Structure formats: C-alpha cells, structure tokens
Amino acid sequence: MFSSLSISRKMASHIVGYPRMGPKRELKFALESFWDGKSSADDLQKVATDLRCSIWKQMADAGIKYIPSNTFSYYDQVLDTTAMLGAVPERYNYTGAEIGFDIYFSMARGNASVPAMEMTKWFDTNYHFIVPELGPNTKFTYSSHKAVSEYKEAKALGIETVPVLIGPVTYLLLSKPAKGVEKSFSPLSLLGNILPIYKEVTAELKAAGASWIQFDEPTLVMDLESHQLEAFTKAYTELESSLSGLNVLIETYFADVPAEAYKTITSLKGISGVGLDLIRGTKTLDLVKSAGFPAGKYLFAGVVDGRNIWANDLASSLSTLQALEAIVGKDKLVVSTSCSLMHTAVDLVNETKLDSEIKSWLAFAAQKVVEVNALAKALAGQKDEAFFSANAAAQSSRKSSPRVTNEEVQKAAAALKGSDHRRVTNVSARLDAQQKKLNLPILPTTTIGSFPQTMDLRRVRREYKANKISEEEYVKAIKEEISKVVKLQEELDIDVLVHGEPERNDMVEYFGEQLSGFAFTVNGWVQSYGSRCVKPPIIYGDVSRPKAMTVFWSKMAQSMTARPMKGMLTGPVTILNWSFVRNDQPRFETCYQIALAIKKEVEDLEAAGIQVIQIDEAALREGLPLRKSEQAFYLDWAVHSFRITNCGVQDTTQIHTHMCYSNFNDIIHSIIGMDADVITIENSRSDEKLLSVFREGVKYGAGIGPGVYDIHSPRIPSTEEIADRINKMLAVLETNILWVNPDCGLKTRKYGEVKPALTNMVSAAKLLRTQLASTK
C-alpha cells in the first residue's frame, strides 16, 4: 500500500488515525452482510482483524514510529467510548458484562422495538458519531476492553502502537442529557464518575506493555468557558498517578487552539506531549512562537493535512518544522498528520484511471504516511532529495497548469459582488401564489429525494459506466425504475413526488461528474457513518456547467404523473463541503462558482415545466467554523451562495431545500435568511430538539418539514408514533406551513422497510387532517 523510502531507523513520525473501511471498502461489505444475517459475528471480526493488522504492518514498514491503535471502529469512536464506559441508555436493556454486537449496533441503528441514539456530525466534517445520552443516574462500568485487546493484537505482531482514546472531557462535552433528564443537566458534572473507568483502561494498557497513550481532546479548539477548561486540568490531575510510567499525548485537531486552552494544555501535569493541527490551525504556529513551549515535552506537529488530498508542500512544511525545532528542541519534535487520515481516501495507487497530471498533485492516506516519514527523515538530516524534487515539480505543475483557471468563470463570480440575490417577492406572497398553482392539502406529504438503491440498479449503472450496455439500454432501465418509484408514491398517495434518483450513486458525485473543474476517483471512498461511504469529487479548478444535468430525467418523471414532481439538485455549499476542495483560493470563491452553475440548472428546470425544485444544503451547518469569531463570515457567503441559485425563478416556482444531522438551532436565523419556500430538516433522530427553537419564540414563515421518522434505522414507526410527532410540531408551527416527510433520503433502506414506513407516514398525515377539519 505505501510506496517506500529507504528506512534505516524509525524517525520521530506519528499518524493520528487511519481509514478503517479498507482500500476496497472491505469493512462496509462485511458490516452489511452481518446486519443482513448473511454472515456471522466471527466472519465480521475476521475481516476487521485482517484490516487492522494490515494497516499496522504497512505503517511499520513505512517507518512510522508512533503507530495508532484503537482507531479502528465498527461504527464510530465515540460509540466505542460509550461502550467502554458502559453508558448504555436504559431502553436497550443492557444487563452488564462485555458489550457485544447486539447492544452496540442497537445503539447505533436501533432495532425492531427501540430507536437508535442520535447521530450528528463530528465537528465540521462529514463524518458522524452517535451522541452519548447521559444523566445523573447513569451508571458507568468498564464494559468494552477493545482498546487493550487491539493493543495486544498489534503487539503480538511485533508492532508497538499508541492506543488512542477519546479524552474524558471531550467525551462529556459531546454528550447530551438523556431523555427525561432536565435539559439544564451538564454531562460534564459526571467527570468524576467516568475517570475511574479511564484509570482501569490505562492500568490494563500499562500492564500490557504500552509505553505511550493518546487522548484525543479536540474540543480544546472550541470556544470553551472557564469551567470547561478547568475540567481538563481536573481530569488529568486526577489521572496523573494512574498514568505514571506512561508517555501521554494530548491530541487536538480541526482548528487553532485558543490562547487560554493552549495555556491549559501545556500546563497539564503528567503529560508528555501535545498534538497541534498546523493546517487548519493557521495561527497556532504564531502562538507557539510567542507563548513558547514547555521544556521537556514533545510537540507533535500536524503539518500533513489529514482532511484533504493535495500533496504536501514538503519544502514549506520542512521550513515550518525547522522553525519549531528551534523552539522545542531537536529531540522533542515529532512530525505528524494534522488529524486522523480517516477523512481522506485510502490509497492513490488504486486510481488507475485518474488523469496523470492531476494524480501527480495528490496524496491519499497511504501517500501521506510516506510524506510524514519523509519530513521526519529530512528533519533528522536524511533528506531524500529525489523525493523532495519530485514533490516540488508537482507543486509547480499545479500552480502553472492552464486547466486550473477559467477567466470567464472568474469574471462571472467577481460580478456577484454588490447584490444579495434575494427573490423580489416575500415568502408569504410566494407561498400563496404557489398554492394556487399546486393546490396541495394541508400537511402535504413528500420524501427527501432518493429511493432504495437495489443491487440491480447498482449493476445497471456499473455496466453502463463499463460500456457493457448501450445508452439506450441504460435509459430504458432507469426509466423503468423511475416509473416504479412514481407508481409507488401514487399508490401511497404522497402529494409531492420525487423520481427516486436511480441515475445517481451519490448526490455530490453525480453533479461533479457533469461540472468542469472536477476530477473523480474509482476507489476514493471515505467513511461517513457506519457502513456508509462516499466518494468525494476533487475540485481542482474553476467550476462551470457545460450542459444541463438533470432536466432530461426530471422531465421524464414529470410526464409520468399529474402530481408535482420535484427537480432534485445538490446545493453549492453541500457540493463544496462534500468535496475535496482546491486549497489555492478561498473556499467562498469556489462556492460562488458552483452557485452560478447550479443557477443555470434551476432556470433550465423551470423552463422545462418543473414547478417544485429542491436544492439540498445538507452540509451547510457542517461547514460552520468551530470558532465563533469566524462563523458570521462563513454564514454570510454560504447563505448568499444558496440564494444565488434560485434568485431568478418565478414566484410560482417552489424552492425547497433540505438539511440533516447537525445542530441547526444556533443558525436558525441564517436558515431563515436562505429564503427558501420550504425546508425539510432532520428532526426525529435528534429527539425533536429542532422544535425547541420554535418553542422559544422564533417565527418561521416559510414551509417547513421537520422529519417524522429516522431513515438511518431499519425500524418502522407506527402511524400513532408519527401522528404524535406531527402533533408536537403543530404545537409550535402553523398548520399551513407544516410538511410531513422522513428525516432524509431513502437510498440506504430496503423497499420492505420503506413501503410500510411511508404508508404509516401518509396515514398519520391524513389522520391529522381529519382531526384538524373536525375542530374547525
């Protein structure tokens, strides 16, 4: 997997974490086979063991000194920590002992009788985690020995690793009060309750022979209050005696560490090293220079980007490392990735069809491991001149390549300044005009876009891409699938239909394939949650739309029904945030270019007779900077980008958008500022916390559809359960603006789950309509 440099000994090199799905998504397929009952727990564990051992061996062979363990997960690392602490919500009937797959996956996915725990975004990434549910009566017991068993597994191979744990303070700061617990309850108050478990884990690791342990505390980059910072001091002071004899690394990532947090982390007793993200933490280097660094401690310098796929500028990184070396000392500086490499694709070697010039500009996880070691060797006086020279040539090629720049696109984007691109008529008047044309019932029902992606459907797309079937055969197959989806929705009596997106493997990849300035991989998969993997496109140059992208399919679908058919688009901010984005210009400039491309598509859909157009912005909240001082600027250009896409449509054209799996309450005013006619938004899996913002008095005048059931769980909600959710919505939202819909798209579900769930959803809407009519 890793191309090799000559290695005489292991230099001071460190990897924060590594992709766990495997180069060909081996874990994904093993998980899904296990969930479907087609393979055993032993089969799943064997795939996982083989992947782990392969990764450790490859990093060891590449010369990495500090190799992570316990970064592998069957779902996510926060859920692993919940299992370690035995913090299982009561509804799963956990009775103690080692937590097995049954309880673990029930928490992640739900089961036939109880819903899953909430899922939300991991900081500002497209990775998700299962949110811990805690209360004053939560009992903690050491219930998963995964960290120790994986350390021993690596040691049996002759590989010394650094076990990685989510730090105790970050774990609690990412938790929420359990259902039935006062919302004012602070999970951080449980710090003293979980530290004994951490002591047990570290004692076992020490007994097993571990010499280093890594605590990931990324919440240190957030705007923390004084009592939250004090919790770090309290936690690691309490752990100090149990950590004696171990080297302890506190790892941070995703942003600058604020000055007060830096002071806190560098003052912690019993800590051997601090990991800093020097890619997204653009001011951190200056902080280290001005504030200094404690003598005798290691600085793990994150100079290789763990979140993007561009080749490192080795000369620039070496210069940074040399500046740091002068501050912390030659033997106390460790070259590291900025964060876990799980946010990048696995190995560039697998990309046999990628354009050779663009390929020379890239580095996936395997190549980043080599970059880390090359920098560590160079810092130690063993610079590989040929490797550095090839890297410099690739950097120069990218800067000078004519394929990167399109002057016409740049001029069009520059011309956007000076207008806020709002639609002329206010949303209330637009909704009236749209209702006269669409004639929808109260509580109109719809779905979010995608329908189940069957094996046959995936095969058709695969064969078409491989030129094994003709375009005519492909169109015929997709048309048949659209017809099936349309008929099903009509039978279910859904009001506003979708075509099911059978022509799309992924909502971002599909559009990127048809826009200029994008490149695509064959195996560039990245985990999003559980077994769900995405293949982010690579934005390498200026973006434009050469031709219509969705009009053909939308017109075809609309011709099959008299009901409104949504045109389905992905918004510019989501395309940006779910891509590997060029790093040679500000992100907002790229976003404006994408917005102009989507604007052309919106106008073509309207001209083709599509009356309802959904422009998904599922990732708008995801891209919100972690530091409050940077958030207003981001929200300004992100919301502006969305408005650009639809500012020219008629009042009678209804613009929808969709958002999911983030905390939206703190940006509700920006959501209102998007000026969409209707927003569908995830709500059910997060215990309907979205509704609290309306209870607190926020007025929302546009159409809104808070999700009535969780599509990421195989569980089928009853009509009564959905009706109860709708009633909770009606308590805080006007009847005439409320829509009824699932949380998200249905592509990951099976028809055996989708049909009864949608049947119950429509029944619930009709039940409420009848009840509302009888009260008039």
Side-chain angles (χ1 to χ4, degrees), residues 357 360-361 386-400:
E357 182 183 29
S360 73
W361 303 341
F387 189 72
F388 270 70
S389 178
N391 175 266
Q395 298 292 323
S396 177
S397 163
R398 184 176 168 215
K399 288 175 183 176
S400 61

Side-chain angles (χ1 to χ4, degrees), residues 246-313:
L246 282 170
N247 290 295
V248 178
L249 167 63
I250 304 294
E251 184 65 53
T252 70
Y253 35 79
F254 297 153
D256 287 301
V257 176
E260 282 302 309
Y262 182 78
K263 182 179 178 181
T264 297
I265 193 175
T266 53
S267 301
L268 293 174
K269 295 179 180 178
I271 301 304
S272 312
V274 176
L276 300 173
D277 182 342
L278 299 177
I279 301 296
R280 297 209 166 212
T282 54
K283 301 173 185 174
T284 299
L285 181 59
D286 291 335
L287 184 61
V288 174
K289 289 178 179 177
S290 61
F293 194 78
K297 290 188 178 180
Y298 291 86
L299 172 56
F300 286 67
V303 294
V304 173
D305 193 349
R307 287 185 59 175
N308 216 328
I309 43 66
W310 303 107
N312 189 274
D313 185 338

Side-chain angles (χ1 to χ4, degrees), residues 180-192:
V181 173
E182 288 292 328
K183 297 301 180 186
S184 59
F185 173 75
S186 171
L188 195 57
S189 65
L190 299 171
L191 183 61

Side-chain angles (χ1 to χ4, degrees), residues 1 17-33 35 43-55 58-59 71-77 80 104-105 108-109 126-128 146 340-347 350 365 523-536:
M1 183 183 288
Y18 200 78
R20 56 183 73 128
M21 280 289 118
K24 295 183 179 178
R25 297 180 291 162
E26 290 89 340
L27 182 60
K28 167 190 170 66
F29 298 121
L31 282 166
E32 292 173 355
S33 176
W35 293 336
D43 294 330
L44 175 58
Q45 289 169 331
K46 183 181 186 307
V47 171
T49 299
D50 289 347
L51 282 171
R52 283 195 301 269
C53 294
S54 173
I55 290 166
Q58 288 156 356
M59 276 196 264
T71 57
F72 186 92
S73 178
Y74 289 103
Y75 213 88
D76 82 76
Q77 67 271 34
D80 291 349
Y104 182 85
F105 287 128
R109 307 176 72 239
N126 187 31
Y127 181 69
H128 301 64
K146 175 178 175 294
S340 172
L341 295 175
M342 65 177 289
H343 305 290
T344 67
V346 178
D347 195 344
N350 296 323
N523 291 297
W525 298 100
V526 178
Q527 184 183 18
S528 179
Y529 62 86
S531 67
R532 169 82 171 135
C533 297
V534 295
K535 199 163 51 168

Side-chain angles (χ1 to χ4, degrees), residues 498-509:
V498 298
H499 76 291
E501 304 177 7
E503 79 282 14
R504 309 176 194 183
N505 178 63
D506 177 85
M507 62 187 287
V508 173
E509 181 182 358

Side-chain angles (χ1 to χ4, degrees), residues 188-206:
L188 195 57
S189 65
L190 299 171
L191 183 61
N193 300 39
I194 69 171
L195 290 178
I197 312 298
Y198 276 87
K199 289 179 181 179
E200 286 188 69
V201 178
T202 54
E204 283 196 11
L205 287 169
K206 199 190 314 185

Side-chain angles (χ1 to χ4, degrees), residues 510-511 514 545-552 600-601 604-605:
Y510 175 80
F511 290 97
Q514 300 181 77
R545 187 200 72 148
K547 61 181 181 179
M549 302 178 286
T550 65
V551 176
F552 175 79
K600 291 181 179 179
E601 188 72 12
D604 281 354
L605 282 168

Side-chain angles (χ1 to χ4, degrees), residues 477-679:
I478 298 299
K479 183 177 181 179
E480 288 173 356
E481 183 69 20
I482 292 172
S483 177
K484 181 177 77 173
V485 169
V486 170
K487 286 177 182 176
L488 172 61
Q489 292 171 93
E490 289 184 326
E491 289 169 4
L492 294 170
D493 205 16
I494 291 173
D495 300 303
V496 176
L497 310 190
V498 298
H499 76 291
E501 304 177 7
E503 79 282 14
R504 309 176 194 183
N505 178 63
D506 177 85
M507 62 187 287
V508 173
E509 181 182 358
Y510 175 80
F511 290 97
E513 284 178 337
Q514 300 181 77
L515 294 169
S516 65
F518 282 75
F520 291 86
T521 63
V522 174
N523 291 297
W525 298 100
V526 178
Q527 184 183 18
S528 179
Y529 62 86
S531 67
R532 169 82 171 135
C533 297
V534 295
K535 199 163 51 168
I538 298 165
I539 306 177
Y540 67 84
D542 291 334
V543 178
S544 63
R545 187 200 72 148
K547 61 181 181 179
M549 302 178 286
T550 65
V551 176
F552 175 79
W553 299 115
S554 293
K555 280 183 67 176
M556 176 189 289
Q558 183 63 82
S559 72
M560 297 175 180
T561 180
R563 302 186 186 210
M565 174 65 63
K566 284 196 246 183
M568 298 300 304
L569 304 175
T570 302
V573 185
T574 296
I575 290 177
L576 183 88
N577 286 335
W578 286 356
S579 298
F580 291 125
V581 184
R582 58 189 295 189
N583 58 2
D584 59 344
Q585 71 176 15
R587 288 173 70 88
F588 71 85
E589 290 186 13
T590 303
C591 198
Y592 284 155
Q593 293 177 2
I594 302 170
L596 287 172
I598 299 299
K599 181 176 185 289
K600 291 181 179 179
E601 188 72 12
V602 168
E603 291 168 355
D604 281 354
L605 282 168
E606 183 183 55
I610 304 301
Q611 300 173 30
V612 181
I613 302 172
Q614 182 170 309
I615 309 167
D616 284 348
E617 284 296 12
L620 188 139
R621 174 61 174 79
E622 173 187 311
L624 189 71
L626 300 177
R627 304 292 293 281
K628 291 177 182 176
S629 61
E630 301 168 7
Q631 291 176 358
F633 177 66
Y634 166 79
L635 288 169
D636 180 65
W637 63 254
V639 169
H640 187 191
S641 295
F642 176 82
R643 289 202 302 261
I644 287 167
T645 65
N646 61 88
C647 62
V649 300
Q650 300 173 26
D651 289 352
T652 51
T653 298
Q654 191 167 84
I655 299 297
H656 289 223
T657 191
H658 170 67
M659 296 181 179
C660 56
Y661 300 103
S662 289
N663 181 8
F664 300 105
N665 293 28
D666 56 348
I667 64 163
I668 190 65
H669 293 290
S670 294
I671 292 173
I672 294 170
M674 293 170 72
D675 199 28
D677 297 311
V678 179
I679 179 170

